[in-house]
Amino acid sequence: MSAAATQKLTSEELLADILTSLDDDKADDIVQIDLRGKSEIADYMVVATGRSTRQVVSISEKLTERLKLEHGVQSKVEGKDGGDWVLIDTGDVIVHVFRPEVREFYQLEKMWLSPEQAAARY
C-alpha cells in the first residue's frame, strides 16, 4: 500500500485513478457521469465496455486490485462470474463494465445523462 493510501482519496482523485486504469486496460467507450446532486448512491458513475467476457473480467479484476494495492480501497463486486456486466462499487464511484451487446441492451447511462447528453450519444 502506498503512502497515499493512508489518507482518504477524494471522489475526484478516485475517479481519475479509475479512468486511468480503464484506459490502461483498453476499455472502450468510457463514460463518466456526475451523480452529485442527482443521487445519494455515489458521486460518480463510470460506464465502460470490454470487447469480450474475458476482457470484461480482466478489466474489473485489475481495477479492483489496483485500488486495493495503491489506495486500500475495498470494492464490492457483482457479476464477475458471468462476465457480461460487472458492477464495481468503490463507495464514491460506481463502475459498470459491460460486453458491447449487454451495454447496448441496457443503455444504463441513458438514465443518468441529461437529455442533451443522451441525444448526442444515442
Side-chain angles (χ1 to χ4, degrees):
M1 194 177 329
S2 71
T6 59
Q7 43 182 287
K8 176 137 168 55
L9 289 175
T10 66
S11 57
E12 290 78 15
E13 291 167 331
L14 182 59
L15 174 65
D17 282 357
I18 289 169
L19 294 173
T20 298
S21 179
L22 293 172
D23 187 57
D24 287 350
D25 291 329
K26 309 290 187 248
D28 292 328
D29 198 14
I30 302 167
V31 175
Q32 70 181 58
I33 302 166
D34 189 342
L35 297 178
R36 295 170 299 175
K38 295 179 186 176
S39 175
E40 297 295 317
I41 62 171
D43 289 342
Y44 296 97
M45 180 183 299
V46 176
V47 182
T49 302
R51 290 181 290 282
S52 66
T53 299
R54 180 176 286 168
Q55 189 187 25
V56 167
V57 171
S58 176
I59 288 168
S60 303
E61 287 176 344
K62 287 179 181 177
L63 174 61
T64 56
E65 190 63 24
R66 282 181 185 129
L67 293 175
K68 182 179 175 183
L69 289 174
E70 294 174 16
H71 305 295
V73 173
Q74 294 289 341
S75 304
K76 296 179 185 106
V77 180
E78 299 285 333
K80 195 173 82 172
D81 291 339
D84 289 334
W85 173 4
V86 179
L87 178 138
I88 304 160
D89 183 352
T90 69
D92 291 336
V93 182
I94 295 174
V95 181
H96 299 272
V97 184
F98 290 97
R99 277 191 315 102
E101 303 81 12
V102 178
R103 183 174 181 176
E104 179 62 30
F105 179 79
Y106 286 103
Q107 297 184 6
L108 182 66
E109 59 264 48
K110 212 172 186 183
M111 285 193 308
W112 298 99
L113 294 172
S114 70
E116 296 80 22
Q117 291 169 316
R121 206 171 148 65
Y122 295 97

